[in-house]
Amino acid sequence: MRTYLITGGTDGMGRGLGLLFLARGDRVIAVASGEAKGKAFLEAAERIGAGDRAQFWRADLSTVAGMKSVASRAVERLDRLDGLVFAAQRFRPEREVTEDGVEYTFAVTYLNRHVLAHDLAGLLERAEAPVIFSLSGSGGLPGKIFWDDPTFARGRYTGMRAAMQASRSVDLDAADFARRHPDSKIRYVLYNPMFVKTAMADPLKQPMKGVTKVMEVLFAQRVEQAVPPMARLMDDPPREALSAFRRGKPLPVDGEDFDPERADRLRALTERLLAEARG
Ligand SMILES: NC(=O)c1ccc[n+]([C@@H]2O[C@H](COP(=O)([O-])OP(=O)(O)OC[C@H]3O[C@@H](n4cnc5c(N)ncnc54)[C@H](OP(=O)(O)O)[C@@H]3O)[C@@H](O)[C@H]2O)c1
């Protein structure tokens, strides 16, 4: 029986992957911030006869305390981890700064991935063929990191700019992780699912919300269609320490989005933010 920890495991693709793993006999821990969706996930697990293999850990992954609580709970309670799936997200139309002084989207989309990947690397190493599977925007819309103003304290905030900054950071951080664990068994897979009908549009304001919901009906994949190829990739990832995909299409992992110097710069920024968060 394999064990998977899935951030954002109570909705959308994280939930879909979790239920797929449960249905085939694996153990799944879904991490998310809302009690109601967590309860619904456990009920869904119960309905497929997997109630005893499903857990819901409530944590706010926008805060460093929430990230660290998940990491320490996993280290205390698990003997190994076969898969770590990153699927937490929440779009923020308005600028918001967390209790740690970090821009919200940056924290929910990027920072917790950095913290959990590093804090859980030891647990992953104990599995036979461990995988970090990060749902990402790789090879998708362009975006930039606002190195001198990552919280948009001075520059103009838009939800899209924040989402794209986080997305570029996710790619760079994955490249950095692979580089810093050269002898590791862990395979780090970035996977851009393209357009999938999930809870993604819920936080949008009208009329964007209505437009996106209509687009979803017309063009998006359903979660049930989107997740089986992801599970296959997790079961049989490429041999390389780092790989990236846009749906089934492999992407090159060089160029600006994976550049080592930019990755070093992000790491320095991240370490500063984490040090400031700890006070
Ligand atoms: N959907 C798409 O078309 C698409 C396209 C490209 C990439 N992606 C990526 O795919 C991943 C999954 O997206 P999705 O659309 O399936 O997501 P979703 O349906 O919006 O679900 C998001 C999940 O994240 C959790 N979450 C939100 N805020 C959180 C917080 N502060 N702490 C902990 N958990 C939190 C949510 O639960 P709570 O709200 O209860 O916390 C929920 O379980 C994301 O990384 C996204 O960027 C999606």
Side-chain angles (χ1 to χ4, degrees):
M1 190 195 305
R2 282 166 287 190
T3 301
Y4 296 94
L5 189 142
I6 306 180
T7 70
T10 62
D11 211 341
M13 288 175 271
R15 181 181 195 271
L17 265 176
L19 293 175
L20 185 157
F21 291 139
L22 287 171
R24 70 183 195 184
D26 295 319
R27 186 153 69 124
V28 173
I29 298 152
V31 179
S33 69
E35 191 67 43
K37 286 180 186 175
K39 193 165 166 279
F41 170 74
L42 293 178
E43 286 165 359
E46 201 67 55
R47 284 196 294 278
I48 57 170
D52 58 334
R53 286 180 281 107
Q55 292 183 42
F56 166 56
W57 292 0
R58 187 173 186 186
D60 180 355
L61 292 173
S62 75
T63 68
V64 175
M67 302 167 202
K68 290 285 177 188
S69 77
V70 172
S72 54
R73 207 166 157 180
V75 169
E76 273 162 30
R77 297 187 188 186
L78 307 177
D79 56 359
R80 60 161 214 286
L81 191 57
D82 298 272
L84 175 59
V85 177
F86 293 135
Q89 72 153 1
R90 192 175 299 140
F91 189 82
R92 276 287 186 258
E94 309 289 347
R95 176 177 180 262
E96 199 176 310
V97 175
T98 69
E99 63 185 38
D100 306 305
V102 179
E103 190 278 318
Y104 184 92
T105 314
F106 198 68
V108 171
T109 309
Y110 158 65
L111 193 58
N112 69 75
R113 299 186 195 218
H114 172 87
V115 169
L116 291 176
H118 287 277
D119 285 8
L120 300 184
L123 265 186
L124 285 157
E125 290 289 3
R126 287 194 221 145
E128 207 178 299
V131 182
I132 298 178
F133 191 80
S134 182
L135 281 156
S136 67
S138 311
L141 297 173
K144 62 183 267 196
I145 298 175
F146 295 84
W147 296 107
D148 299 323
D149 185 24
T151 64
F152 300 92
R154 299 182 298 278
R156 185 170 70 92
Y157 177 91
T158 69
M160 206 56 193
R161 280 182 164 203
M164 291 301 106
Q165 166 170 264
S167 182
R168 292 288 70 82
S169 303
V170 164
D171 287 349
L172 280 179
D173 190 56
D176 188 58
F177 183 93
R179 198 160 50 109
R180 283 171 197 271
H181 294 79
D183 303 318
S184 171
K185 282 190 277 179
I186 303 168
R187 299 286 169 263
Y188 205 124
V189 181
L190 290 159
Y191 187 93
N192 180 348
M194 305 297 280
F195 194 19
V196 182
K197 187 175 181 311
T198 64
M200 178 180 64
D202 292 353
L204 297 176
K205 286 184 183 166
Q206 295 294 6
M208 254 333 267
K209 184 171 175 166
V211 171
T212 308
K213 296 262 180 198
V214 171
M215 300 274 281
E216 280 180 343
V217 173
L218 293 174
F219 303 113
Q221 253 190 349
R222 286 180 294 111
V223 168
E224 298 70 31
Q225 294 172 297
V227 297
M230 298 179 199
R232 284 197 290 276
L233 199 48
M234 286 187 71
D235 289 344
D236 188 17
R239 290 170 56 86
E240 290 73 28
L242 174 68
S243 56
F245 293 83
R246 194 169 49 220
R247 285 213 181 137
K249 186 175 178 291
L251 297 168
V253 286
D254 51 13
E256 192 175 287
D257 288 350
F258 301 95
D259 176 62
E261 274 179 32
R262 287 164 49 82
D264 283 342
R265 195 171 180 192
L266 177 65
R267 191 178 178 89
L269 170 67
T270 302
E271 281 171 0
R272 181 169 58 74
L273 291 176
L274 289 173
E276 285 170 6
R278 280 193 287 272

